Amino acid sequence: MKFTDLGIIDTILKSLHAEGYEKPTPIQQQAIPILLKGTDLLGCAQTGTGKTAAFSIPILQLLHERGFGDGKGKRTLKVLILTPTRELASQIGESIRVYGKGLNLTHAVIFGGVNQNPQVAQMRQGVDILVATPGRLLDLMNQGHIRLDTIDFFVLDEADRMLDMGFIHDINRILPKLPKKRQSLFFSATMPLSIANLANSILTNPEMVKVDPVSSTAEKVKQEVYHVVKSMKRNLLKHVIHEKAMQQVLVFSRTKHGADRITRELAKAGIPASAIHGDKSQGAREKALAQFKERKITVLVATDIAARGIDIDSLQWVINYDLPNEPESYVHRIGRTGRAGASGTAISFCDIDERPYLQDIEKLIKLKIPVIANHPFPINERDEADHEANKGKPKPVHNRGGRQQSNNQRSGKSQSSGQNRKSGDGANAGGGGEKRKFFKKRR
Ligand code: AMP
């Protein structure tokens, strides 16, 4: 099935094409037609399945067809998308920007933990679409800055995570403020009774779509993890590329700066590489991707966001230079290899600070990733001691679903990215898990 089979308008098709999306994912194939005819939707799907596009595309199209976004008069709020974490809210906002290019619709993203004034100012100007975490939304509603009585579309995203994070009371306060007549969409990765009851109270005659959890894709890919201190990752990268005679490898970096640094490092070692990330022009990204596909370069270094839509047949190697703090991103990354029954291997580098991320990933994929201990840059006792001694200094703190954290790496260097390592609102401070040891100390 192609996007053109789904009744999507040309302007949006163009944006999808520019993003490199070639065909709709299963949830998109099922959900888009249902939503375009105005029906409520119960979606059993999790992050990594393409669900953001599945709900954003039809909403954007319906708003456009109903004549919003013509720029005449003040905007009225027509869409509310509730999501549990600041990171998810930002990602959805970014997706709406990308898919809605050329439609002249406006959106705002609001979440807690930051100054509310810019958010209030943006709302005052008028927006069509609001992406929000529940705590901050309720706050601004209570202060009279946001009203929901003009909403036509309501999306509750990641419902099970919302409940886990204790947002049910906020949600119950928000729901009565929505108009009864609206189209509602409800997404959850799991559907226990409490979630099904909540869905029931929100949806009217919904159609249900269910797609395989992303974690199942992980089973097809051979996975390995190398424990290594951060400063040795660059050497380890060159080592594994040579040792395994890799011809075509996609390397994931958490940050744009990191991606550039890795590319330079590889170039110095005579390994042809290019980076793609948000700071590169569309042209530069397309060129790098084309060169990679044609095997003119060996390594493509990408950030999670820039890697959207990268679809390379028979890609054999993926390397996670940094582990993502959202375990779903890991599954999505490694799903770039091992496609269509082809063999694929995903190698992850895990430094001491990243061990909690590894734990989250293993929990999601329900698999212990085999450790490759026999390599030239293992973590030794001295590294562990240094790490202990540096405790208390600024460093990343484990974040899963909205805990507070800081930005600095163990090296003390700042890793500004704007894509990751953000917190949700209404969540507890503190990380946890850094002290856990995953393997025996070596000399
Ligand atoms: P989501 O489940 O919405 O978080 O999406 C997961 C990732 O898949 C995001 O990076 C999207 O940009 C990407 N994506 C969504 N739909 C498609 C598609 N049809 N083709 C390729 N990539 C997609």
Side-chain angles (χ1 to χ4, degrees), residues 3 21 23-25 28 47-52 99 308-309 332:
F3 277 113
Y21 291 9
K23 56 181 191 331
T25 65
Q28 291 160 6
T47 304
T49 54
K51 77 174 153 65
T52 313
Y99 308 140
R308 284 161 183 274
H332 194 64

Side-chain angles (χ1 to χ4, degrees), residues 191-250:
M191 218 40 89
L193 196 62
S194 56
I195 303 285
N197 286 340
L198 179 63
N200 249 333
S201 71
I202 291 174
L203 302 167
T204 313
N205 299 327
E207 285 191 36
M208 181 168 173
V209 298
K210 191 170 183 320
V211 295
D212 279 345
V214 280
S215 57
S216 62
T217 64
E219 289 157 19
K220 298 177 204 135
V221 177
K222 183 174 169 206
Q223 297 163 68
E224 295 172 344
V225 61
Y226 289 61
H227 289 278
V228 55
V229 287
K230 192 167 180 290
S231 57
M232 286 295 139
K233 283 186 174 184
R234 59 181 72 179
N235 293 331
L236 182 59
L237 178 65
K238 288 178 269 188
H239 167 76
V240 294
I241 290 173
H242 282 308
E243 191 201 26
K244 297 181 188 295
M246 294 179 183
Q247 302 292 315
Q248 196 186 36
V249 50
L250 180 60

Side-chain angles (χ1 to χ4, degrees), residues 89 110 134 139 168 173 242 279 294 309 330 422 425:
I110 64 169
D139 234 14
I168 187 65
R173 281 184 205 114
H242 282 308
D279 286 350
E294 291 160 20
Y330 172 84
K422 289 171 181 167
D425 65 350

Side-chain angles (χ1 to χ4, degrees), residues 225-230 233 254 322-325 349-363 368-369 371 378-381 383-385 387-388 391 396-399 410 421 432-442:
V225 61
Y226 289 61
H227 289 278
V228 55
V229 287
K230 192 167 180 290
K233 283 186 174 184
R254 188 180 297 134
D322 303 301
L323 282 180
N325 60 353
F349 296 172
C350 179
D351 75 21
I352 298 174
D353 283 325
E354 290 174 316
R355 289 174 187 169
Y357 301 161
L358 180 63
Q359 249 205 346
D360 278 351
I361 290 163
E362 292 182 330
K363 205 167 131 200
K368 192 111 186 83
I369 303 174
V371 174
I379 297 177
N380 57 32
E381 255 180 24
D383 298 321
E384 298 273 3
H387 184 260
E388 280 293 312
K391 283 237 170 91
V397 177
H398 176 43
N399 177 39
R410 172 171 170 259
R421 308 188 158 269
E434 298 125 54
K435 282 190 200 141
R436 283 175 221 130
K437 296 280 183 290
F438 278 78
F439 49 92
K440 267 206 270 173
K441 286 179 183 175
R442 284 185 302 281

Side-chain angles (χ1 to χ4, degrees), residues 18-34:
E19 273 302 282
Y21 291 9
E22 284 164 12
K23 56 181 191 331
T25 65
I27 185 130
Q28 291 160 6
Q29 294 180 18
Q30 296 175 56
I32 291 174
I34 294 172

Side-chain angles (χ1 to χ4, degrees), residues 241-272:
I241 290 173
H242 282 308
E243 191 201 26
K244 297 181 188 295
M246 294 179 183
Q247 302 292 315
Q248 196 186 36
V249 50
L250 180 60
V251 173
F252 281 95
S253 157
R254 188 180 297 134
T255 68
K256 300 177 216 174
H257 298 307
D260 285 335
R261 240 189 341 258
I262 295 165
T263 310
R264 280 197 303 271
E265 193 68 35
L266 290 173
K268 266 197 278 172
I271 302 170

Side-chain angles (χ1 to χ4, degrees), residues 1-241:
M1 187 184 276
K2 300 195 290 288
F3 277 113
T4 41
D5 300 329
L6 296 174
I8 298 171
I9 54 175
D10 284 346
T11 318
I12 298 179
L13 286 176
K14 235 161 84 192
S15 306
L16 298 177
H17 181 70
E19 273 302 282
Y21 291 9
E22 284 164 12
K23 56 181 191 331
T25 65
I27 185 130
Q28 291 160 6
Q29 294 180 18
Q30 296 175 56
I32 291 174
I34 294 172
L35 292 170
L36 283 178
K37 64 183 184 188
T39 306
D40 280 9
L41 182 84
L42 176 60
C44 206
Q46 57 186 219
T47 304
T49 54
K51 77 174 153 65
T52 313
F55 69 72
S56 310
I57 291 168
I59 289 177
L60 287 163
Q61 176 156 338
L62 290 172
L63 277 185
H64 178 72
E65 286 173 351
R66 290 175 197 176
F68 296 101
D70 60 1
K72 290 182 205 137
K74 192 171 180 314
R75 313 263 177 176
T76 40
L77 191 58
K78 287 287 159 193
V79 183
L80 172 63
I81 300 167
L82 270 190
T83 191
T85 68
R86 162 181 174 157
E87 182 168 64
L88 280 166
S90 303
Q91 281 170 11
I92 294 170
E94 171 61 12
S95 296
I96 286 172
R97 187 190 66 75
V98 168
Y99 308 140
K101 222 179 220 158
L103 296 180
N104 194 22
L105 292 162
T106 57
H107 73 275
V109 178
I110 64 169
F111 43 70
V114 294
N115 186 335
Q116 71 168 46
N117 294 341
Q119 299 174 353
V120 171
Q122 206 183 357
M123 294 309 296
R124 201 165 287 146
Q125 283 180 359
V127 296
D128 301 301
I129 302 165
L130 176 62
V131 187
T133 52
R136 176 55 63 92
L137 172 65
L138 203 59
D139 234 14
L140 297 190
M141 284 167 62
N142 289 339
Q143 295 174 47
H145 296 303
I146 297 177
R147 295 175 51 154
L148 302 180
D149 51 359
T150 53
I151 293 290
D152 279 346
F153 300 91
F154 171 57
V155 183
L156 187 70
D157 187 33
E158 308 249 335
D160 47 359
R161 223 160 132 187
M162 290 266 201
L163 262 56
D164 278 353
M165 290 174 69
F167 282 137
I168 187 65
H169 302 296
D170 289 347
I171 293 170
N172 282 335
R173 281 184 205 114
I174 293 166
L175 289 178
K177 308 286 183 204
L178 293 165
K180 292 239 164 354
K181 192 172 162 317
R182 59 169 198 254
Q183 189 176 356
S184 302
L185 294 67
F186 186 101
F187 289 92
S188 188
T190 56
M191 218 40 89
L193 196 62
S194 56
I195 303 285
N197 286 340
L198 179 63
N200 249 333
S201 71
I202 291 174
L203 302 167
T204 313
N205 299 327
E207 285 191 36
M208 181 168 173
V209 298
K210 191 170 183 320
V211 295
D212 279 345
V214 280
S215 57
S216 62
T217 64
E219 289 157 19
K220 298 177 204 135
V221 177
K222 183 174 169 206
Q223 297 163 68
E224 295 172 344
V225 61
Y226 289 61
H227 289 278
V228 55
V229 287
K230 192 167 180 290
S231 57
M232 286 295 139
K233 283 186 174 184
R234 59 181 72 179
N235 293 331
L236 182 59
L237 178 65
K238 288 178 269 188
H239 167 76
V240 294
I241 290 173

Side-chain angles (χ1 to χ4, degrees), residues 288-362:
L289 192 55
Q291 287 182 326
F292 186 58
K293 282 186 174 177
E294 291 160 20
R295 298 185 178 234
K296 288 184 181 151
I297 52 173
T298 309
V299 185
L300 188 66
V301 190
T303 56
D304 286 293
I305 289 182
R308 284 161 183 274
I310 295 182
D311 197 358
I312 299 145
D313 290 337
S314 65
L315 175 66
Q316 203 187 338
W317 301 101
V318 166
I319 296 181
N320 293 306
Y321 191 88
D322 303 301
L323 282 180
N325 60 353
E326 288 280 341
E328 290 84 3
S329 298
Y330 172 84
V331 178
H332 194 64
R333 287 177 178 190
I334 71 165
R336 305 294 170 173
T337 178
R339 295 204 161 179
S343 72
T345 305
I347 291 175
S348 297
F349 296 172
C350 179
D351 75 21
I352 298 174
D353 283 325
E354 290 174 316
R355 289 174 187 169
Y357 301 161
L358 180 63
Q359 249 205 346
D360 278 351
I361 290 163
E362 292 182 330

